[in-house]
């Protein structure tokens, strides 16, 4: 006998799965170890969809195969548990609950992460093309809808929706579904829910609020939907209701936070389920004793999702005990911090604050040692301390900076900003902020791992998963940063993969390369590396911070935390990061409001000294704004103008300006960017006489049109776009002004000479090009570099000459004699200088379309060129 069974107090998912299992195992009998839920009993009485055997009618000795659906815990299958120990019985399991230590194991185990077991069976029926009736499709739909809360519970997966779509095509009746899923409360249920609400007691563990309700009722079993109603009415993270009946106690638990897995909690009482929903039945225990035991178990099972290690900033800038107060003030200004931990031999001693340093300097103690003024009794914490405890300590002690200490060494620090962000993310995650407010912050603290996997090609997302796993093994934090994250949120693909590591980026890159049999290029001095495999490239860097010793100087870079690393970037839209570690894979990190600015379509500078420290950011701001169709914020525009008034750009290396201009020229349409540079006064940084005149705009547009035409017709032919736009940009200046601009940009000497040659050649060709003579066109342009030809085509306003250049590129430059020197020799013509004259004459005749075949060329040589032989 093949026996199909499920858990005690079977719901629609268990019932539907058992029914579907009969389709997979024809001839098997269905028997449930206990009663069905009331709604399921009502359905069975109304439709009689299948035969259900009673337990007493099952001869256990005849069972050869046991099919268990919607559970894998032995205590939940009642007296059928005895079959598990019998030799010769084959066990098959179909379930979607998380694995547990006491799980049943069988010869066949189908465990899928879906919202309902009914989904698994619907997929099997579809794959095997097993026919089902509309009633059977409706039953499977009931199982999925009930288990997923009509497809709105967090446990719902895309597979559940696909399964429902299949079942609807097979005739599932939504009217029947709505009739049996509608929660209409009876008088007894109203009384019970009122008793539960009146009895609610609150337990708070690690900041998680759990409410426990108790009540008694005779002859009533199905209370799970009441738990959902109470959860909707109460502001709580988890709810557990205990209902005492004549001979047993029913426990129903719901949780909407990751800190409490109610399936594990109720497993202590013989129950099971999902992390967010579970139940148990307890016998022979007074309600009061059960409540007390439950409270103790809750304290053991609540595990904080976040501990100090998860929110702390690391590494931390420190100062040695022997350093002077004056040096502490300089360090605080350099790194933009307000508190410095004081260490001796790398061991933590205390902290010193900016307020204290300012007062000490005021009183003339600048040369005193930091150790003398350090606060040595400031509160500290360990990496594994729950964030809720750190929060309490910071509030009680009014301390804004808490060192995280491990083995007497400082491994990180928690600031008020870290704490506020963590609390805010928790509020969003627990639903304590309205959906409108959540929309306004545009998903702060959200996880977009699924979006990452959907929008990146599979090899790239697998690459990132590997990086996160390796980071976990090495004890590092790994983050995807930069343009890839920005464009992911903008809905565009960007395969420029940059990873920042809190730890050792080179070590991470080497390990990834070893695992994936990829090539790695290491730049040890900068703490960076590249991992290359086929078309994929992964840039890995150690988290860094930087400071500028003077305006427009190159920065000094040091190892730091992800927060400091992102802060050194240019604009808020480029400060977004995605965590890659397995625990939080896909968690979006947004310290500076980058998401809001992407939503508002603006480019915003991070801080007021940004353009003073690095003026090239002004050029990048304009480039990004035009590329994405964004606007510069008014404050950002004001800061650019301030940097110009302060003559900060005069201190900027011309090479760095030229590099930025080359990037601008590489954009799809750089003309708008150049116009915006002029509006911001940035073209004058290159040369005082440079302005965006109608003549310059016309030439730039002509260059753009020429490039577009050429790219469309000659996909594989290369040229330097940057040279063409540089030629155009400086063309309206006088010769001496051009030289001055080239010198300001520190254009390499050979490139300067090349630009001058092109300007001269383009002018010469434009004047002398014979528009109607193919031979003259050929000789004027043949051998010229492509940049010269294209710039001449763009510069000339004579349409006939434009067409002549176009004709050269499309036709004339491909023309060449068909005869070879070997064939001339075979004709009796001795090798010598005459060959070049012969080939030139043949070429010119071909250009005039007077010769087409090799035979015609040979005849031309014999009759017309005999005098050259």
């Amino acid at each position: 006998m093949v026996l199909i069974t499920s858990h005690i107090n079977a719901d629609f998912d268990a019932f539907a799965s058992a029914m579907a299992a009969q389709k997979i195992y024809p001839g098997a009998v269905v028997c449930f170890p206990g009663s069905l839920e009331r709604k399921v009993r009502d359905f069975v009485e109304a439709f009689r969809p299948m035969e259900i055997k009673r337990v007493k009618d099952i001869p256990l000795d005849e069972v050869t195969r046991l099919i268990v659906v919607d559970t894998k815990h032995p205590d939940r299958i009642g007296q059928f548990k005895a079959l598990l120990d019998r030799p010769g019985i084959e066990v098959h399991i179909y379930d979607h609950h998380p694995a547990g230590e006491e799980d049943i194991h069988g010869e066949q185990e189908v465990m899928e992460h879906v919202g309902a077991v009914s989904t698994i069976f619907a997929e099997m029926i579809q794959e095997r093309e097993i026919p089902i009736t509309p009633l059977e499709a409706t039953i499977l739909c009931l199982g999925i809808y009930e288990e997923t809360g009509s497809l709105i519970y967090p446990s719902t997966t895309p597979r559940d929706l696909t399964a429902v779509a299949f079942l609807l095509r097979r005739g599932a009746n939504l009217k029947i579904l709505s009739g049996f899923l509608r929660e209409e409360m009876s008088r007894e249920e109203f009384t019970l829910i009122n008793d539960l609400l009146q009895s609610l007691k609150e337990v708070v563990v690690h900041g998680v609020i759990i409410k426990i309700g108790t009540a008694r009722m005779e002859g009533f079993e199905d209370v799970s939907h009441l738990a959902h109603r109470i959860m909707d009415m109460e502001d709580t993270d988890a709810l557990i209701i205990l209902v005492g009946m004549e001979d047993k106690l029913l426990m129903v638990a719901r949780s909407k936070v990751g800190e409490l897995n109610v399936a594990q909690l109720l497993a202590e009482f013989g129950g099971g389920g999902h992390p967010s929903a579970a139940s148990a039945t307890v016998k022979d225990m007074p309600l009061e004793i059960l409540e007390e035991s439950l409270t103790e178990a809750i304290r053991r099972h609540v595990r904080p999702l976040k501990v100090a290690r998860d929110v702390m900033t690391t590494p931390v800038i420190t100062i040695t005990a022997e350093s002077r107060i004056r040096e502490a003030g300089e360090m605080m200004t350099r790194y933009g911090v307000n508190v410095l931990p004081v260490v001796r031999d790398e061991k933590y001693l205390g902290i010193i604050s900016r307020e204290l340093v300012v007062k000490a300097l005021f009183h003339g103690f600048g040369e005193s040692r930091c150790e003398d003024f350090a606060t040595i009794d400031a509160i500290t914490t360990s990496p594994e301390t729950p964030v809720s405890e750190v929060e309490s300590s910071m509030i009680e002690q009014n301390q804004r900076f808490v060192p995280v200490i491990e083995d007497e060494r400082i491994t990180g620090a928690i600031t008020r900003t870290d704490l506020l962000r963590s609390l805010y993310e928790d509020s969003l995650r627990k639903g304590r902020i309205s959906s409108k407010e959540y929309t306004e912050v545009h998903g702060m603290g959200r996880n977009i791992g699924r979006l990452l996997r959907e929008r990146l090609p599979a090899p790239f997302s697998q690459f990132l998963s590997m990086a996160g796993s390796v980071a976990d093994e090495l004890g590092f934090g790994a983050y995807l940063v930069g343009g890839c994250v920005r464009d992911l949120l903008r809905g565009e693909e960007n395969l420029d993969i940059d990873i920042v590591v809190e730890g050792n980026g080179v070590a991470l890159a080497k390990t990834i390369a070893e695992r994936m049999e990829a090539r790695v290029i290491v730049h040890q001095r900068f703490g960076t590396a590249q991992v290359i495999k086929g078309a994929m490239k992964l840039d890995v860097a150690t988290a860094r911070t930087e400071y500028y010793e003077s305006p427009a100087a190159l920065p000094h870079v040091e190892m730091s935390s992800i927060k400091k690393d992102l802060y050194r970037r240019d604009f808020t839209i480029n400060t977004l990061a995605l965590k890659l570690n397995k625990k939080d894979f896909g968690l979006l990190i947004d310290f500076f409001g980058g998401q809001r600015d992407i939503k508002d379509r603006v480019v915003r500078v991070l801080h007021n000294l940004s353009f003073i420290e690095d003026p090239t950011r002004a050029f990048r701001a304009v480039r990004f704004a035009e590329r994405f169709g964004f606007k510069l914020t008014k404050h950002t525009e004001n800061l650019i103008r301030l940097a110009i008034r302060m003559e900060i750009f005069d201190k900027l290396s011309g090479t760095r300006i030229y590099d930025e201009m080359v990037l601008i020229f590489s954009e799809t349409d750089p003309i708008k960017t150049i116009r915006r540079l002029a509006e911001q006064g940035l073209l004058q940084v290159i040369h005082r006489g440079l302005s965006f005149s109608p003549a310059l705009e016309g030439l730039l547009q002509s260059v753009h049109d020429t490039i577009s035409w050429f790219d469309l017709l000659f996909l594989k032919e290369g040229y330097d776009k940057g040279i063409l736009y540089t030629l155009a940009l400086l063309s309206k200046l006088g010769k001496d002004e051009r030289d001055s601009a080239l010198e300001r940009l520190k254009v390499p000497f050979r490139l300067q000479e090349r630009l001058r040659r092109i300007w001269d050649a383009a002018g010469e060709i434009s004047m002398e090009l014979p528009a109607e003579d193919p031979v003259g066109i050929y000789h004027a342009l043949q051998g010229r570099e492509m940049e010269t030809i294209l710039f001449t085509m763009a510069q000339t306003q004579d349409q006939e000459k434009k067409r002549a250049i176009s004709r050269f590129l499309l036709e004339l430059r491909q023309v060449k004699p068909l005869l070879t020197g070997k064939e001339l020799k075979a004709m009796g013509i001795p090798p010598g200088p005459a060959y070049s004259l012969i080939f030139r004459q043949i070429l010119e005749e071909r250009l005039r379309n007077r010769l087409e075949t090799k035979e015609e060329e040979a005849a031309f040589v014999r009759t017309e060129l005999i005098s050259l032989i």
Side-chain angles (χ1 to χ4, degrees):
M1 176 189 292
V2 178
L3 173 64
I4 300 171
T5 193
S6 186
H7 54 79
I8 297 170
N9 202 31
D11 54 12
F12 271 119
D13 192 28
F15 178 78
S17 300
M19 180 274 297
Q22 272 194 317
K23 296 286 185 180
I24 308 298
Y25 300 91
V29 299
V30 175
C31 180
F32 296 100
S35 60
L36 304 174
E37 284 190 355
R38 177 174 55 83
K39 290 182 296 183
V40 182
R41 289 200 306 270
D42 293 343
F43 183 90
V44 171
E45 291 174 4
F47 293 97
R48 302 289 180 183
M50 65 178 176
E51 182 182 3
I52 303 173
K53 296 285 188 179
R54 295 181 298 179
V55 174
K56 67 178 182 178
D57 294 332
I58 300 296
L60 298 182
D61 292 341
E62 296 180 14
V63 176
T64 58
R65 179 183 289 172
L66 178 65
I67 314 300
V68 182
V69 300
D70 200 28
T71 186
K72 51 183 175 292
H73 196 287
D75 293 337
R76 301 201 74 201
I77 61 173
Q79 65 190 68
F80 294 137
K81 177 181 178 181
L83 293 172
L84 301 175
D85 298 326
R86 292 193 182 182
I89 292 185
E90 188 177 341
V91 179
H92 293 190
I93 305 166
Y94 297 85
D95 194 25
H96 69 137
H97 295 91
E101 294 181 1
E102 300 180 7
D103 285 352
I104 302 170
H105 293 286
E107 284 71 19
Q108 180 170 312
E109 298 180 3
V110 180
M111 313 294 180
E112 300 287 349
H113 179 63
V114 289
V117 183
S118 298
T119 296
I120 299 172
F121 282 105
E123 290 174 342
M124 294 173 68
I125 287 170
Q126 182 179 18
E127 182 180 347
R128 301 182 187 188
E129 299 182 352
I130 299 173
I132 57 173
T133 66
L135 179 60
E136 290 167 339
T138 301
I139 294 170
L140 282 168
C141 251
L142 274 168
I144 297 172
Y145 267 63
E146 181 188 56
E147 195 72 3
T148 62
S150 298
L151 304 175
I152 64 170
Y153 288 170
S155 57
T156 307
T157 70
R159 291 171 59 184
D160 299 304
L161 276 71
T162 303
V164 167
F166 161 71
L167 295 169
L168 290 174
R169 290 196 299 271
R170 290 297 179 270
N173 190 317
L174 291 177
K175 186 175 181 180
I176 295 176
L177 258 71
S178 63
F180 281 91
L181 294 177
R182 189 183 298 119
E183 303 289 351
E184 295 181 355
M185 295 178 63
S186 65
R187 184 191 302 270
E188 292 80 5
E189 288 174 320
F190 273 114
T191 301
L192 180 58
I193 200 170
N194 183 63
D195 291 344
L196 290 169
L197 287 168
Q198 294 297 324
S199 69
L200 286 178
K201 297 178 182 178
E202 187 176 284
V203 178
V204 181
V205 183
H206 296 314
V208 178
I209 302 172
I210 305 105
K211 292 189 178 181
I212 303 172
T214 59
R216 296 184 182 276
M217 192 170 190
E218 300 301 328
F220 183 78
E221 296 180 0
D222 185 11
V223 297
S224 59
H225 66 288
L226 299 184
H228 284 297
R229 288 182 181 270
I230 296 174
M231 282 288 281
D232 290 339
M233 291 188 285
E234 292 291 318
D235 180 18
T236 184
D237 298 320
L239 171 74
I240 304 168
I241 59 176
L242 311 177
V243 179
M245 298 180 185
E246 184 175 351
D247 59 346
K248 60 186 175 183
L249 292 169
L250 185 60
M251 306 175 70
V252 177
R254 297 291 183 265
S255 173
K256 56 185 178 183
V257 295
E259 291 93 333
L260 178 59
N261 183 321
V262 291
Q264 294 178 355
L265 173 65
L266 294 199
E268 288 200 15
F269 301 91
H274 299 279
S276 59
S279 62
T281 301
V282 179
K283 295 185 178 182
D284 302 323
M285 183 182 292
L287 183 59
E288 294 75 17
I289 299 298
L290 177 60
E291 183 180 357
E292 184 177 333
S293 300
L294 175 63
T295 303
E296 294 176 0
I298 287 172
R299 298 190 185 282
R300 293 193 301 271
H301 279 272
V302 175
R303 294 286 182 268
L305 284 183
K306 289 184 179 178
V307 294
R309 188 188 302 278
D310 298 321
V311 301
M312 70 183 185
T313 297
T314 185
V316 180
I317 298 167
T318 62
I319 192 166
T320 61
E322 295 77 17
S323 297
R324 306 302 169 182
I325 291 293
R326 171 184 48 80
E327 295 173 314
E330 293 170 357
M331 285 185 68
M332 288 174 174
T333 300
R334 179 186 304 157
Y335 294 108
V337 297
N338 293 312
V339 179
L340 286 173
V342 180
V343 299
R344 177 187 289 121
D345 298 328
E346 298 186 357
K347 292 185 177 180
Y348 171 78
L349 293 180
I351 59 174
I352 191 166
S353 66
R354 183 183 292 274
E355 291 91 338
L356 189 147
V357 168
V358 169
K359 289 182 180 180
L361 291 172
F362 177 77
H363 291 295
F365 294 109
E367 296 305 316
S368 298
R369 297 183 308 167
C370 289
E371 179 184 18
D372 297 334
F373 287 87
T375 302
I376 60 174
D377 60 352
I379 59 170
T380 62
T381 189
S382 71
E384 304 307 320
T385 302
V387 171
S388 57
E389 293 184 17
V390 179
E391 172 194 350
S392 298
S393 298
M394 292 180 74
I395 293 172
E396 292 169 3
Q397 300 294 326
N398 192 28
Q399 188 169 315
R400 66 187 181 193
F401 180 99
V402 176
V404 181
I405 308 299
E406 189 171 18
D407 297 328
E408 299 186 64
R409 299 175 185 271
I410 184 163
T411 60
I414 297 177
T415 66
R416 289 181 297 188
T417 302
D418 297 326
L419 189 60
L420 285 171
R421 186 169 297 277
S422 174
L423 291 171
Y424 189 56
E425 289 173 358
D426 286 346
S427 295
L428 289 174
R429 180 170 52 82
K430 294 177 182 180
R432 293 221 171 97
I433 293 178
S434 72
S435 59
K436 180 180 179 181
E437 291 170 315
Y438 184 83
T439 301
E440 287 300 316
V441 299
H442 203 55
M444 183 174 173
R446 61 178 172 158
N447 190 299
I448 58 171
R450 180 178 295 179
L451 184 68
L452 182 71
R453 293 187 177 97
E454 288 175 353
R455 293 191 177 173
L456 284 185
F460 284 86
S461 62
Q462 291 164 7
F463 219 156
L464 296 176
S465 295
M466 165 71 75
S469 299
V470 172
D472 285 333
E473 294 174 16
L474 299 177
F476 301 156
Y479 303 84
L480 176 66
V481 300
C484 181
V485 183
R486 176 198 65 218
D487 293 341
L488 187 68
L489 296 180
R490 292 179 56 247
E492 295 189 7
E493 185 179 88
N494 184 337
L495 300 182
D496 187 9
I497 307 297
D498 291 298
I499 291 178
V500 167
V501 179
E502 286 182 324
N504 188 324
V506 171
L508 181 80
K510 286 181 175 178
T511 307
I512 293 173
E514 183 180 337
R515 298 274 176 87
M516 302 192 72
E517 298 182 352
R519 187 161 57 96
V520 62
I521 302 173
V522 174
H523 306 283
Q524 196 73 49
R525 176 184 172 190
F526 303 104
T528 63
Q530 284 184 333
V531 181
I532 303 170
K533 185 171 184 179
M536 293 188 297
K537 185 177 74 171
L538 190 74
D539 290 304
V540 183
T542 304
R544 295 164 288 177
T545 188
E546 61 188 26
Y547 63 89
Y548 295 78
E549 291 190 342
S550 62
L554 291 173
H556 291 269
V557 180
E558 298 179 3
M559 287 180 60
S560 186
S561 63
I562 183 65
K563 186 193 297 184
K564 288 287 186 181
D565 189 278
L566 296 174
Y567 185 66
R568 71 186 182 86
R569 295 170 189 268
D570 42 21
F571 311 108
T572 57
I573 60 173
N574 293 330
T575 62
L576 298 165
L578 286 184
K579 195 160 188 181
L580 300 179
N581 298 77
K582 186 175 181 180
K583 178 183 176 184
D584 296 313
F585 185 86
L587 181 66
L588 187 60
I589 309 296
D590 182 9
F591 291 115
F592 309 108
Q595 294 173 91
R596 184 184 297 276
D597 287 343
I598 289 175
K599 178 174 176 283
D600 293 342
R601 301 176 66 82
V602 296
V603 175
R604 183 189 308 277
V605 75
L606 255 70
H607 57 87
N608 292 355
L609 296 179
S610 183
F611 296 132
I612 291 175
E613 292 179 341
D614 184 0
T616 61
R617 289 172 176 162
F619 291 86
R620 291 203 294 279
V622 174
R623 175 161 58 90
F624 283 133
E626 290 304 323
R627 179 196 293 179
F628 303 137
F630 287 11
K631 294 181 179 179
L632 301 181
T633 65
K634 289 184 178 180
H635 184 58
T636 301
E637 289 183 333
N638 289 338
L639 291 176
I640 292 175
R641 296 189 187 102
L642 175 63
I644 292 173
R645 288 200 306 272
M646 295 176 67
E647 300 182 344
I648 298 297
F649 290 93
D650 294 347
K651 303 174 184 179
L652 182 62
S653 161
T655 302
R656 295 175 67 192
I657 298 176
Y658 182 66
D659 289 343
E660 289 297 329
M661 293 303 299
V662 169
L663 290 173
I664 289 171
F665 296 152
S666 67
E667 294 289 322
T668 304
D669 185 2
I671 300 174
K672 293 180 180 179
T673 306
I674 296 172
R675 180 190 295 112
R676 184 75 71 88
L677 290 176
E679 292 171 358
Q680 298 295 331
L682 291 171
L683 282 187
Q684 285 69 38
V685 169
I686 299 173
H687 191 277
R688 301 289 182 187
L690 197 57
S691 62
F692 196 78
S693 63
L696 176 59
E697 183 176 13
L699 179 56
L700 288 169
Q701 187 62 52
S702 183
V703 167
H704 176 75
D705 294 343
T706 301
I707 287 173
S708 299
W709 171 82
F710 187 80
D711 287 345
L712 184 64
L713 295 175
F714 307 100
L715 295 176
K716 296 182 179 179
E717 196 157 354
Y719 62 92
D720 192 323
K721 185 188 291 188
I723 285 179
L724 292 175
Y725 279 112
T726 301
L727 289 165
L729 181 66
L730 304 182
S731 283
K732 302 307 176 182
L733 296 176
K735 184 177 182 303
D736 292 340
E737 291 177 318
R738 286 181 195 168
D739 290 342
S740 176
L742 292 174
E743 186 59 33
R744 172 69 183 100
L745 292 173
K746 297 297 180 187
V747 177
F749 177 75
R750 289 186 180 180
L751 181 55
Q752 287 192 37
E753 291 298 308
R754 186 180 177 191
L755 291 169
R756 293 187 184 98
R757 284 198 308 270
I758 294 174
W759 272 314
D760 291 343
E764 180 183 310
I765 295 169
S766 295
M767 292 289 294
E768 301 176 0
L769 185 68
E772 301 298 331
D773 179 14
V775 174
I777 295 170
Y778 181 90
H779 289 310
L781 298 178
Q782 184 63 24
R784 302 280 191 179
E785 57 187 321
M786 187 55 66
E787 290 80 4
T788 300
I789 296 172
L790 293 177
F791 183 66
T792 303
M793 186 178 184
Q795 181 180 257
T796 184
Q797 297 182 3
D798 187 326
Q799 295 301 314
E800 293 298 322
K801 291 183 178 180
K802 281 185 184 288
R803 280 192 286 271
I805 298 172
S806 171
R807 182 182 179 189
F808 171 78
L809 291 172
L810 291 169
E811 306 171 17
L812 301 182
R813 63 176 176 151
Q814 311 297 335
V815 176
K816 60 182 179 179
L818 298 177
L819 284 175
T820 64
K822 186 177 181 179
E823 289 168 324
L824 289 180
K825 186 176 181 181
M827 292 170 63
I829 303 174
Y835 274 30
S836 59
L837 294 175
I838 291 171
F839 285 134
R840 180 185 177 95
Q841 291 294 322
I842 293 173
L843 173 64
E844 291 181 354
E845 288 299 299
R846 289 188 66 85
L847 289 169
R848 295 186 181 103
N849 290 321
R850 295 174 180 172
L851 300 176
E852 293 184 1
T853 67
K854 185 182 291 188
E855 289 74 18
E856 290 177 346
E857 289 183 8
F860 175 72
V861 171
R862 291 190 183 98
T863 58
E864 302 293 333
L865 302 181
I866 193 68
S867 61
L868 298 175
I869 302 172

